[in-house]
């Protein structure tokens, strides 16, 4: 569900879709001396881009907490006359910027921009929308132990104080609608990716009359399993699928899953220490079963299928696991170092606050900490080991940086109430896409997300991970473009031609 940066190649909609390059954009500012708009306003070749900001209440109904600036960019359509529609895109996170990726979004949605405008809003606290730091960086959070991650969550809450209430999905949804109203747009096409598939249904439930149609890619339902068991199970499915589909056959999927279970068990007993260099600084990560879970369900899903003929984390995993079981830890260490090199110094306030305010928990958020721990441990004990695939329950739930027990110390006072899991959704056309190699938002969750809508169409796209638009042929973006324009996906036969990813051979 969460999205981190990656060093993989970008193709078609890749950068815009996932905002994989998390380069910072300047904070909201006044118009530049040339009078061409705010200094952060992007340039998109062949298009007029209009930018602006508006002041929004930090917390609705609490004027004493002040306001926050929310910035937006509108990439105008190429054709003559009025736009036939406006597509509002959210690339995930929660914390991803949109405005700074305007050119990449425009390239990926080129067909749509013949007669549709593109609306990009930087969610509050990110990019050009007035950052409010809490003193926890991306790298510190990612590379820390689980206890350090829980401590970072508590530190973030203390630093934000009452302002933590301002970071919610509902607030971001209302910000987008305020921008829509300022622009005089009657209805939006909502295009959500990863966390955007959580945000956009919240927008639709709060502003149903403002929705024309919806695309959700890399989707999950609001009542998702707080123990993240579908992701644990999807790791094993992904390993089996890449082995079965490799040509020539590079590995045995069942053996790869057994090797994963053996690796997880060994790391439970004896974690590795892996030095990771990110942005010129060296971090010493304690690589536990939980870190392995994170590597396999989130990092390995990201970018899978984007460059199918080239090496990837998921395609290299069966070989690295085989070598680890045979006593050679270096291939796995190399995967950890390569994935970790993308860590940044970006502050995590928008990420931590949104997931800890909003996401479903395995405890009562009104309960004191000691009771929360009791409830969480009871839920974990009742889940059974089989539900976590090749991992132990305790080990796997230490993998998600937005789930498991990471938010258990998030205070009840001065923070937002959890987002309701049952939404009143409009009866509009909805397209839901999942990649069948995605363990971050697995296709089992995509089906559940699609089932929440009365008029939805669901596709699980073979041989791609998180999210399907990353595949390089343009097949998926062609389908989404048709859906946006016509409310129907049209011919989807190209899904069957998406090639399998390259897999490093496992030698016997």
């Amino acid at each position: 569900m969460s999205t981190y940066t990656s060093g993989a190649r970008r193709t078609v909609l890749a950068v815009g879709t996932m905002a994989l390059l998390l380069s910072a954009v300047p904070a909201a500012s006044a118009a530049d001396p040339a009078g061409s708009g705010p200094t952060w306003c992007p340039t998109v070749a062949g298009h007029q881009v209009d930018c602006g900001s508006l002041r929004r209440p930090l917390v609705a109904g609490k004027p004493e907490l002040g306001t926050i600036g929310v910035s937006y960019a509108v990439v105008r359509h190429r054709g003559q006359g009025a736009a036939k529609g406006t597509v509002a895109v959210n690339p995930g996170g929660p914390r991803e910027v949109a405005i700074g990726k305007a050119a990449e979004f425009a390239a990926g949605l080129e067909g749509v921009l013949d007669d549709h405008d593109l609306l990009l809003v930087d969610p509050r606290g990110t990019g050009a929308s007035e950052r409010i730091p809490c003193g926890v960086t991306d790298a510190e959070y990612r590379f820390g132990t689980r206890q350090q991650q829980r401590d970072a969550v508590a530190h973030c809450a203390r630093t934000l104080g009452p302002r933590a209430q301002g970071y919610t999905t509902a607030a971001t949804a209302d910000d987008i609608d305020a921008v829509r109203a300022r622009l005089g747009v009657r209805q939006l096409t909502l295009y959500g990716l990863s966390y955007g598939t959580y945000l956009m249904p919240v927008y639709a439930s709060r502003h149903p009359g403002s929705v024309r149609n919806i695309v959700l890619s890399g989707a999950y339902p609001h009542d998702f399993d707080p123990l993240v068991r579908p992701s644990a199970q999807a790791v094993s499915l992904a390993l089996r699928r890449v082995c079965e589909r490799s040509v020539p056959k590079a590995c045995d999927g069942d053996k790869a899953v057994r090797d994963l279970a053996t690796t997880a068990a060994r790391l439970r007993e004896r974690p590795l220490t892996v030095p990771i260099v990110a942005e010129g600084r060296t971090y010493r990560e304690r690589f536990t079963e939980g870190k392995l879970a994170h590597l396999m369900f989130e990092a390995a899903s990201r970018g899978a299928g984007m460059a199918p003929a080239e090496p990837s984390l998921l395609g290299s995993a069966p070989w690295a696991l085989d070598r680890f079981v045979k006593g050679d830890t270096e291939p796995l260490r190399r995967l950890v170092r390569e994935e970790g090199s993308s860590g940044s110094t970006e502050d995590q306030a928008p990420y931590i606050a949104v997931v800890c305010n909003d996401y479903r928990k395995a405890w009562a958020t009104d309960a004191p900490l000691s009771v929360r721990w009791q409830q969480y441990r009871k839920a974990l004990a009742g889940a059974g080991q089989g539900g976590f695939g090749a991992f132990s329950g305790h080990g796997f739930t230490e993998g998600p940086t937005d789930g498991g027990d990471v938010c258990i110390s998030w205070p009840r006072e001065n923070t937002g109430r959890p987002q309701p899991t049952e939404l009143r959704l409009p009866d509009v056309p909805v397209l839901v896409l999942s990649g069948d190699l995605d363990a971050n938002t697995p296709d089992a969750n995509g089906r559940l997300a699609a089932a929440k809508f009365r008029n939805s169409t669901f596709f699980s796209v073979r041989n791609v991970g998180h999210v399907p638009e990353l595949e390089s042929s343009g097949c998926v973006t062609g389908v989404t473009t048709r859906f946006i324009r016509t409310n129907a996906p049209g011919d989807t036969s190209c899904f069957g031609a998406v090639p399998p990813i390259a897999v490093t051979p496992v030698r016997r």
Side-chain angles (χ1 to χ4, degrees), residues 193-215:
L193 303 120
S194 192
Y195 163 75
T197 71
Y198 187 94
L199 165 65
M200 292 311 191
V202 172
Y203 178 99
S205 71
R206 296 175 71 84
H207 307 282
S210 299
V211 182
R212 177 177 176 268
N213 54 17
I214 304 173
V215 178

Side-chain angles (χ1 to χ4, degrees), residues 16 19 25 89-91 96-103 105 119-123 126:
V25 227
V89 180
N90 179 271
E96 302 285 3
V97 300
I99 294 172
K101 309 302 178 217
F105 276 119
L119 172 60
L120 304 172
V121 179
D122 276 352
T126 71

Side-chain angles (χ1 to χ4, degrees), residues 101-335:
K101 309 302 178 217
E104 290 84 4
F105 276 119
L109 292 169
E110 182 179 5
V112 174
L113 285 172
D114 285 341
D115 51 15
H116 283 63
D117 291 341
L118 173 63
L119 172 60
L120 304 172
V121 179
D122 276 352
R124 51 176 53 204
T126 71
S129 291
E130 203 166 303
R131 300 185 181 197
I132 303 176
C134 72
V136 177
T137 70
D138 165 49
E140 291 168 343
Y141 189 61
R142 290 176 63 189
F143 302 143
T145 65
R146 194 57 166 189
Q147 183 60 54
Q148 288 170 333
Q149 289 176 343
R150 290 193 295 262
D151 291 344
V153 164
H155 173 78
C156 186
R158 288 194 300 270
T159 302
L160 290 174
R163 296 178 300 176
Q165 301 167 78
Y167 286 113
T168 66
T169 302
T172 296
D174 292 349
D175 291 343
I176 294 172
D177 198 62
V179 172
R180 177 204 60 78
R182 168 179 277 195
L183 296 171
V185 174
R186 190 174 71 86
Q187 289 186 318
L188 297 172
T189 289
L190 305 178
Y191 199 148
L193 303 120
S194 192
Y195 163 75
T197 71
Y198 187 94
L199 165 65
M200 292 311 191
V202 172
Y203 178 99
S205 71
R206 296 175 71 84
H207 307 282
S210 299
V211 182
R212 177 177 176 268
N213 54 17
I214 304 173
V215 178
L216 304 176
S217 184
Y220 58 103
H222 287 73
D223 55 352
F224 63 84
D225 178 10
L227 299 180
V228 208
R229 282 166 288 187
S231 287
Q233 296 157 15
V235 171
S236 297
L237 279 175
L239 288 173
R240 289 190 172 98
R241 285 168 177 166
V242 298
C243 288
E244 290 166 3
R245 298 170 187 171
S246 59
V247 180
K249 191 172 178 62
C251 52
D252 180 302
D254 290 337
K255 179 184 180 303
V257 173
R258 291 195 299 272
D259 287 346
L260 175 63
T262 300
T263 302
R266 290 184 185 176
L267 291 172
R268 279 199 297 276
E269 299 299 323
R270 184 174 296 179
L272 302 176
T273 298
V274 183
I276 296 173
V277 179
E279 291 199 348
R281 180 177 172 183
T282 300
Y283 300 84
R284 294 179 63 81
E285 181 174 71
R286 188 169 184 267
F287 192 72
T288 61
E289 182 185 12
K291 297 294 187 182
L292 175 68
H294 179 86
L295 186 77
M296 292 302 302
F297 94 87
E298 183 172 319
S301 294
R302 190 187 320 117
M306 185 166 60
E310 299 183 11
S312 64
L313 199 165
L314 180 57
S316 301
W319 170 71
L321 294 168
D322 172 79
R323 297 308 307 162
F324 186 92
V325 169
K326 292 174 178 174
D328 179 7
T329 66
E330 180 53 28
L332 182 58
R333 289 176 182 271
R334 184 161 61 248
L335 293 183

